[in-house]
Amino acid sequence: MYQVLVAGATGKMGRKAVELIEQKSNFALAAVLAPSIADSDLTLPQTTQCFSDLSQINHSYDIWLDFTTPQAVYQNTEFALQHQMRPIIGTSGLTEQQVASLQQLAQQQQIGGLIAPNFGLSAVLLMKFAKMAAQYLPDAEIIELHHADKKDAPSGTALATAQQIQAGRTQPVKKTWSQNSARGLNVDGVPIHAVRLPGYIAHEEVLFGGTGEALTIRQDSFDRGSFMTGVNVALDKISDLTQLVFGLENLL
Amino acid sequence: MYQVLVAGATGKMGRKAVELIEQKSNFALAAVLAPSIADSDLTLPQTTQCFSDLSQINHSYDIWLDFTTPQAVYQNTEFALQHQMRPIIGTSGLTEQQVASLQQLAQQQQIGGLIAPNFGLSAVLLMKFAKMAAQYLPDAEIIELHHADKKDAPSGTALATAQQIQAGRTQPVKKTWSQNSARGLNVDGVPIHAVRLPGYIAHEEVLFGGTGEALTIRQDSFDRGSFMTGVNVALDKISDLTQLVFGLENLL
Amino acid sequence: MYQVLVAGATGKMGRKAVELIEQKSNFALAAVLAPSIADSDLTLPQTTQCFSDLSQINHSYDIWLDFTTPQAVYQNTEFALQHQMRPIIGTSGLTEQQVASLQQLAQQQQIGGLIAPNFGLSAVLLMKFAKMAAQYLPDAEIIELHHADKKDAPSGTALATAQQIQAGRTQPVKKTWSQNSARGLNVDGVPIHAVRLPGYIAHEEVLFGGTGEALTIRQDSFDRGSFMTGVNVALDKISDLTQLVFGLENLL
Amino acid sequence: MYQVLVAGATGKMGRKAVELIEQKSNFALAAVLAPSIADSDLTLPQTTQCFSDLSQINHSYDIWLDFTTPQAVYQNTEFALQHQMRPIIGTSGLTEQQVASLQQLAQQQQIGGLIAPNFGLSAVLLMKFAKMAAQYLPDAEIIELHHADKKDAPSGTALATAQQIQAGRTQPVKKTWSQNSARGLNVDGVPIHAVRLPGYIAHEEVLFGGTGEALTIRQDSFDRGSFMTGVNVALDKISDLTQLVFGLENLL
């Protein structure tokens, strides 16, 4: 039975994480951490320890599951590693340098874990498959579609997908680029097109073309609840990890 | 039985038109016009008159079906109207001014006809439906996808579709436009995205978004043979026309 | 300023209708009808009359907007017509015979109105376009996709779409039907395929094929809030109606 | 420089294979085999040996590339293996038992090779990705779309894809199966839907659904020329193989 501490248990994602752990056999909700845990309406098993501050934690749990804030996440992960708790970090905001530093610490402590900016399984599989396909079909374009209120374009996932495609290529792509915004934004030799329309939620398509054929990979995120499928996979695989891995795709 | 003259009978489209007429009940291939008709390998019924030049034509056929060249099309259409032949013009290259001038001539001659830059039925229906949908769902984007060798972007059909959407709108579209080529080319308040990949042929999607819902219309042109479905519709409807109509969509 | 009575104002759809009327210029929320209105948490303008029973209504409002129950809808619509209120009926459950009887009453009372089993604008437009396309492209198939919990298959909208396609055809479809469930359920010469998967919400695609080309119309319902776009259209057009119309598509 | 023999060089696929070898650096078209090679219009390098029968071949080439007939393929592959030529077999028609027997022979001869019923790279990648995705998203359905003249349904590729999905699953799929052909043909717990429409060529979609999300993989075969991309991959990897591998997916 793995003992899990959920950090950020009173937040939107944290609550879903609490639910997941309670339903999952072989995993116990041993502790929660949240500044406002005392005033929260969260219902917890009597056996669950409640902490409102890092300094109160005097026990080493098996797994540290973190859905907190960009301000808290670095210190939390450091604390977990120093106390031999395997971190699963779903909180965004860590810089590249911070990730590198935490990976070094994990190595010193000889403990594995996961930092995953995206737990959406369909998005992570899309990126993984896109990288693999690019080895054989280097010509690719990305269309990402989001609700009209999304201010930035292209999306972070689209940018990450373009990087994966470029990383997967074993032959150069022919660059015949029109000076025309109809042809999208060129990222790593992959044109990205961003659609913003009311009604849409969060969707991404990768289109590959080869002689006489096409391959398309699409993912649709209809609901944030989808992230827990990815957390579930992470919990099942965390014990096998001997390093602090970055990206859920490296566990699939 | 309608007597049809096919102008440009030895060309790629003209040959398909000849085949179509021969298969179609109520229509007879009465005559063909082509400069090189004498040397052609085209097999024709014995009853079909062959002309290599306008000046040889001394009879008024019911329908003038034209798949010639931008150089010949204006004079041909003028000739047809002056001799009371209903023109169906599939040849491109007429200017707006030439179309207006021919429409005036048709009115004087009290004869109807059709000038259609695009006989692809799926593309024409897409444009028609896009205009209708825009009345209720003004927020729209276009994605057009073509083979990697297509030099221009966006496609002419995509531009025409954007104009139809704008014409169909009864309420203004909110303009929140990012200065970013990922958001496509803004044509009449419709972002157009152009994909160019090997393998693809000619495809277009129009995406509409409204509160909690989306509507998508897509057309695929796999083969130029598709144009004859549109010519067939034009032949069936030409007798009802009392004006020289521009655009197959106005017959549907 | 049109005076509107919302029947079923405390229900899920009724509440959205109340919101819509309050936001809409030229329309006033004059009255609401709901058995439990006295105990409801619904916040209404002071000028809005509240009725818990039909018998209390002693005034003729311009429009009767109904989102009640299959048990109440027939009597409600009859009452509205008898008192010169134009009905817009979003409640399901009326039989064909009841609809016919109400249409006769509307004619006697010389008043127009609308009965709409589906206010989803994208679904209604899809059906309208499918009927139109079938005139030129008679070969069609339907794929409808819903969440895994939907018990029935195919969906009511898919069946209605197949009927529209059949009604739109002007030429017979070739019947080459395999005795194989992979080829779907044959409804009016249109194969219907029903996909049931977790994650999905409510989606429908109509695929048309012709020589060398294809046309696809797709609609996605992500959220029930989408229905209010259709109600809004109905409110704008209701004054022009001189009959009791069945189906939103006949207003578009 | 690898010496290649192309068997079936005068056929449709064989001719494309000849073209491919001639363009490819490090590979030389050393020989061709075809019963009617003497009368063929095929233009070949002067250095290429021409054989009309197996019995004429008195040299061991590096690679045996086979696009012949179901009648010839078994004997050809056996011959290649016995004479230390690495077979790449694109000809269909080998039974499971014949494949097993040839694999045993390859082991005895200590030589690797490939038998690939499908060289379409997009189809092979689709199957590979579908198997991988099924590990995390076991709920899946297949839609395959082909031209109206295709007699059988579902397609062989769709059946093979369903088997791959079943092989990839690590958790059982819930079986809630409606007795209704709208729900498709149940193959290994994967509903398959087959669309047959004019215009379409050969396309396949795999739809995965999970909590709040969906993943879709689609491939389009527009043209048989696409197969040569897969043959090209096979040629590049054949030297690394130590067994007679079945299925291009096992090289990707």
Side-chain angles (χ1 to χ4, degrees):
Chain A
M1 196 74 153
Y2 293 101
Q3 306 292 316
V4 185
L5 178 150
V6 176
T10 56
K12 202 170 159 187
M13 295 300 285
R15 281 168 189 265
K16 285 180 184 289
V18 162
E19 270 177 51
L20 175 67
I21 304 290
E22 293 189 295
Q23 285 163 23
K24 204 168 160 59
S25 58
N26 296 332
F27 290 81
L29 185 69
V32 296
L33 166 68
S36 59
I37 189 72
D39 310 326
S40 164
D41 61 345
L42 197 65
T43 315
L44 295 169
Q46 288 203 332
T47 53
T48 303
Q49 293 276 332
C50 292
F51 304 115
S52 61
D53 195 277
L54 271 190
S55 62
Q56 300 168 355
I57 305 173
N58 54 3
H59 179 83
S60 174
Y61 302 96
D62 297 312
I63 295 165
W64 178 285
L65 183 52
D66 199 292
F67 288 105
T68 58
T69 65
Q71 289 73 42
V73 62
Y74 180 77
Q75 204 186 343
N76 283 359
T77 314
E78 196 179 42
F79 182 92
L81 291 170
Q82 283 165 346
H83 295 82
Q84 287 290 317
M85 297 184 249
R86 293 173 174 276
I88 299 177
I89 309 299
T91 314
S92 61
L94 289 171
T95 65
E96 273 186 51
Q97 207 179 333
Q98 286 179 320
V99 170
S101 162
L102 291 166
Q103 286 175 325
Q104 203 176 350
L105 177 58
Q107 207 172 354
Q108 287 164 12
Q109 299 284 332
Q110 294 187 298
I111 190 165
L114 174 71
I115 299 171
N118 193 342
F119 269 115
L121 208 59
S122 60
V124 171
L125 286 172
L126 171 140
M127 280 188 276
K128 188 180 179 72
F129 297 158
K131 184 180 179 181
M132 291 170 70
Q135 191 180 343
Y136 305 101
L137 298 166
D139 296 294
E141 305 208 10
I142 295 171
I143 302 170
E144 54 96 333
L145 312 97
H146 284 85
H147 53 87
D149 297 333
K150 184 170 172 66
K151 292 289 177 231
D152 59 318
S155 70
T157 308
L159 289 169
T161 309
Q163 287 160 7
Q164 293 292 310
I165 290 169
Q166 174 63 4
R169 283 172 176 148
T170 53
Q171 46 189 302
V173 65
K174 284 166 289 183
K175 288 218 181 166
T176 51
W177 212 266
S178 158
Q179 295 303 317
N180 184 330
S181 55
R183 290 289 291 114
L185 182 72
N186 185 348
V187 175
D188 284 329
V190 181
I192 304 183
H193 310 273
V195 172
R196 295 289 174 272
L197 283 172
Y200 279 79
I201 306 165
H203 322 258
E204 186 177 328
E205 273 186 1
V206 189
L207 293 80
F208 292 94
T211 307
E213 67 181 334
L215 178 72
T216 307
I217 310 168
R218 179 183 173 116
Q219 72 81 220
D220 298 271
S221 297
F222 297 119
D223 187 314
R224 286 275 148 146
S226 65
F227 279 25
M228 286 305 131
T229 316
V231 175
N232 193 34
V233 169
L235 287 166
D236 285 342
K237 303 218 167 176
I238 193 73
S239 310
D240 304 336
L241 299 180
T242 55
Q243 293 185 308
L244 182 55
V245 172
F246 186 84
L248 183 61
E249 60 273 23
N250 296 306
L251 268 69
L252 301 185
Chain B
M1 197 76 156
Y2 294 101
Q3 307 290 316
V4 184
L5 177 151
V6 175
T10 54
K12 200 170 163 187
M13 295 300 285
R15 282 167 190 264
K16 286 180 183 288
V18 163
E19 269 177 51
L20 175 67
I21 305 290
E22 292 189 296
Q23 285 164 21
K24 203 167 161 60
S25 59
N26 295 332
F27 291 80
L29 186 68
V32 296
L33 167 67
S36 59
I37 190 70
D39 309 327
S40 164
D41 62 345
L42 197 64
T43 315
L44 295 168
Q46 289 205 332
T47 53
T48 303
Q49 293 276 332
C50 292
F51 304 116
S52 61
D53 194 277
L54 271 191
S55 62
Q56 299 169 353
I57 305 173
N58 55 2
H59 179 82
S60 175
Y61 301 96
D62 298 312
I63 295 164
W64 179 285
L65 183 51
D66 200 293
F67 288 105
T68 58
T69 64
Q71 289 72 44
V73 62
Y74 181 77
Q75 203 187 344
N76 282 359
T77 314
E78 197 178 43
F79 182 91
L81 291 170
Q82 282 165 346
H83 294 83
Q84 288 291 316
M85 297 184 248
R86 294 172 174 276
I88 299 177
I89 309 299
T91 314
S92 61
L94 289 171
T95 65
E96 274 187 51
Q97 207 178 335
Q98 286 179 320
V99 170
S101 161
L102 291 166
Q103 285 176 323
Q104 204 175 351
L105 177 57
Q107 206 171 356
Q108 286 163 14
Q109 299 283 333
Q110 295 188 295
I111 191 165
L114 174 71
I115 298 171
N118 193 341
F119 270 115
L121 208 58
S122 61
V124 171
L125 287 172
L126 172 140
M127 280 189 275
K128 188 180 180 71
F129 296 159
K131 184 180 179 181
M132 292 171 70
Q135 190 179 344
Y136 305 101
L137 299 166
D139 295 294
E141 305 208 9
I142 294 170
I143 302 169
E144 54 97 333
L145 312 97
H146 284 85
H147 52 90
D149 296 333
K150 185 171 171 67
K151 292 288 176 229
D152 60 317
S155 70
T157 308
L159 289 169
T161 308
Q163 287 160 8
Q164 293 291 310
I165 290 169
Q166 173 62 4
R169 283 173 176 149
T170 53
Q171 46 189 303
V173 66
K174 284 166 290 184
K175 289 217 181 165
T176 50
W177 213 266
S178 159
Q179 295 304 318
N180 184 328
S181 56
R183 289 289 292 116
L185 183 71
N186 184 347
V187 175
D188 284 329
V190 181
I192 304 182
H193 310 272
V195 172
R196 296 287 173 273
L197 283 172
Y200 279 79
I201 305 165
H203 322 259
E204 185 177 329
E205 274 186 0
V206 189
L207 293 80
F208 292 95
T211 308
E213 66 182 334
L215 179 72
T216 307
I217 309 167
R218 179 182 172 116
Q219 72 81 219
D220 298 271
S221 297
F222 297 118
D223 187 312
R224 285 277 148 144
S226 66
F227 279 26
M228 287 304 131
T229 316
V231 175
N232 194 33
V233 170
L235 287 167
D236 285 340
K237 302 218 169 177
I238 193 74
S239 310
D240 304 335
L241 299 179
T242 56
Q243 292 185 311
L244 183 55
V245 172
F246 185 84
L248 183 61
E249 59 273 25
N250 296 306
L251 268 68
L252 301 186
Chain C
M1 197 76 156
Y2 293 101
Q3 306 291 317
V4 183
L5 179 149
V6 175
T10 54
K12 201 170 159 187
M13 295 300 285
R15 282 167 190 264
K16 285 180 184 289
V18 163
E19 270 177 51
L20 175 67
I21 304 290
E22 292 190 294
Q23 284 164 23
K24 204 169 159 59
S25 59
N26 296 331
F27 290 81
L29 185 69
V32 296
L33 167 68
S36 60
I37 190 72
D39 308 327
S40 164
D41 62 346
L42 197 65
T43 315
L44 295 167
Q46 288 204 332
T47 54
T48 303
Q49 293 276 331
C50 291
F51 303 117
S52 62
D53 194 277
L54 270 191
S55 62
Q56 298 170 354
I57 305 174
N58 55 2
H59 179 82
S60 174
Y61 301 96
D62 298 313
I63 295 164
W64 177 286
L65 183 52
D66 199 291
F67 287 105
T68 58
T69 64
Q71 289 72 42
V73 61
Y74 181 75
Q75 204 187 345
N76 282 0
T77 314
E78 196 178 43
F79 182 91
L81 290 169
Q82 282 165 345
H83 294 83
Q84 288 291 315
M85 297 184 250
R86 292 170 175 277
I88 300 177
I89 309 300
T91 315
S92 61
L94 289 171
T95 64
E96 273 186 52
Q97 207 178 335
Q98 286 179 320
V99 170
S101 161
L102 291 167
Q103 286 176 323
Q104 203 175 351
L105 177 58
Q107 206 170 357
Q108 286 164 12
Q109 298 283 332
Q110 295 187 298
I111 191 165
L114 173 72
I115 299 170
N118 192 342
F119 270 116
L121 208 58
S122 60
V124 172
L125 287 172
L126 171 140
M127 279 189 277
K128 188 180 179 71
F129 297 159
K131 184 179 179 182
M132 292 170 70
Q135 190 179 345
Y136 305 102
L137 298 166
D139 295 295
E141 304 208 9
I142 295 171
I143 303 169
E144 55 96 334
L145 313 97
H146 284 85
H147 52 89
D149 297 333
K150 185 170 171 66
K151 292 287 176 232
D152 59 319
S155 70
T157 309
L159 289 168
T161 308
Q163 287 161 6
Q164 293 292 309
I165 290 169
Q166 174 63 3
R169 282 172 178 149
T170 53
Q171 45 189 303
V173 66
K174 283 165 290 183
K175 291 218 181 167
T176 50
W177 214 267
S178 159
Q179 295 304 318
N180 183 329
S181 54
R183 289 289 292 114
L185 182 71
N186 184 350
V187 176
D188 283 330
V190 182
I192 304 183
H193 310 273
V195 172
R196 296 288 174 271
L197 283 172
Y200 279 80
I201 305 166
H203 321 258
E204 185 177 329
E205 273 186 359
V206 189
L207 293 81
F208 292 95
T211 308
E213 66 182 335
L215 178 72
T216 307
I217 310 168
R218 180 183 172 115
Q219 72 81 222
D220 298 271
S221 297
F222 296 119
D223 187 314
R224 284 277 147 145
S226 67
F227 278 25
M228 286 304 131
T229 316
V231 175
N232 193 34
V233 169
L235 287 167
D236 285 340
K237 302 219 169 177
I238 193 75
S239 310
D240 304 336
L241 300 180
T242 56
Q243 294 186 309
L244 183 55
V245 172
F246 186 83
L248 183 61
E249 60 275 23
N250 296 306
L251 269 68
L252 300 186
Chain D
M1 197 76 156
Y2 293 101
Q3 307 291 315
V4 184
L5 178 151
V6 176
T10 55
K12 202 170 160 189
M13 295 300 285
R15 281 167 190 264
K16 285 179 185 288
V18 162
E19 271 177 52
L20 174 67
I21 304 290
E22 292 190 293
Q23 284 163 23
K24 205 168 160 60
S25 58
N26 295 333
F27 290 81
L29 185 69
V32 296
L33 166 68
S36 59
I37 190 69
D39 309 327
S40 164
D41 61 347
L42 197 64
T43 315
L44 295 168
Q46 287 204 334
T47 53
T48 303
Q49 293 276 332
C50 292
F51 304 116
S52 61
D53 195 278
L54 271 190
S55 63
Q56 299 169 354
I57 305 173
N58 55 1
H59 179 82
S60 175
Y61 302 96
D62 298 312
I63 296 165
W64 178 285
L65 182 52
D66 199 292
F67 288 104
T68 58
T69 64
Q71 289 72 42
V73 62
Y74 180 77
Q75 204 186 343
N76 283 358
T77 314
E78 197 179 42
F79 182 91
L81 291 169
Q82 283 165 346
H83 295 83
Q84 288 290 315
M85 298 183 247
R86 295 172 173 274
I88 299 178
I89 308 300
T91 314
S92 60
L94 288 170
T95 64
E96 273 185 51
Q97 206 178 334
Q98 286 179 320
V99 170
S101 159
L102 290 167
Q103 286 176 323
Q104 204 177 349
L105 177 58
Q107 206 171 355
Q108 287 164 12
Q109 299 284 332
Q110 294 186 297
I111 191 166
L114 173 71
I115 298 171
N118 193 342
F119 270 115
L121 207 59
S122 60
V124 171
L125 286 171
L126 172 140
M127 279 188 277
K128 187 179 180 72
F129 297 159
K131 184 179 180 181
M132 292 171 71
Q135 190 179 344
Y136 305 100
L137 299 166
D139 295 295
E141 305 207 9
I142 294 171
I143 302 170
E144 55 96 332
L145 312 97
H146 283 86
H147 53 89
D149 297 333
K150 186 170 170 67
K151 293 287 177 232
D152 60 318
S155 69
T157 308
L159 289 169
T161 308
Q163 288 160 6
Q164 292 292 310
I165 289 169
Q166 175 62 4
R169 284 173 177 148
T170 53
Q171 45 189 302
V173 66
K174 284 166 289 186
K175 289 220 180 165
T176 52
W177 212 265
S178 159
Q179 294 303 319
N180 184 329
S181 55
R183 291 288 291 115
L185 183 71
N186 185 347
V187 176
D188 283 330
V190 182
I192 304 183
H193 310 272
V195 172
R196 294 289 174 270
L197 284 172
Y200 279 79
I201 305 165
H203 321 258
E204 186 177 328
E205 274 185 1
V206 189
L207 293 80
F208 293 94
T211 308
E213 67 181 334
L215 178 73
T216 307
I217 309 168
R218 178 182 174 116
Q219 73 82 221
D220 298 271
S221 297
F222 298 119
D223 188 315
R224 286 276 147 147
S226 66
F227 279 25
M228 286 304 132
T229 316
V231 175
N232 193 33
V233 170
L235 286 166
D236 285 339
K237 302 219 170 177
I238 193 73
S239 311
D240 303 336
L241 299 180
T242 56
Q243 293 186 308
L244 183 55
V245 172
F246 186 82
L248 183 61
E249 60 273 22
N250 296 307
L251 269 67
L252 301 187

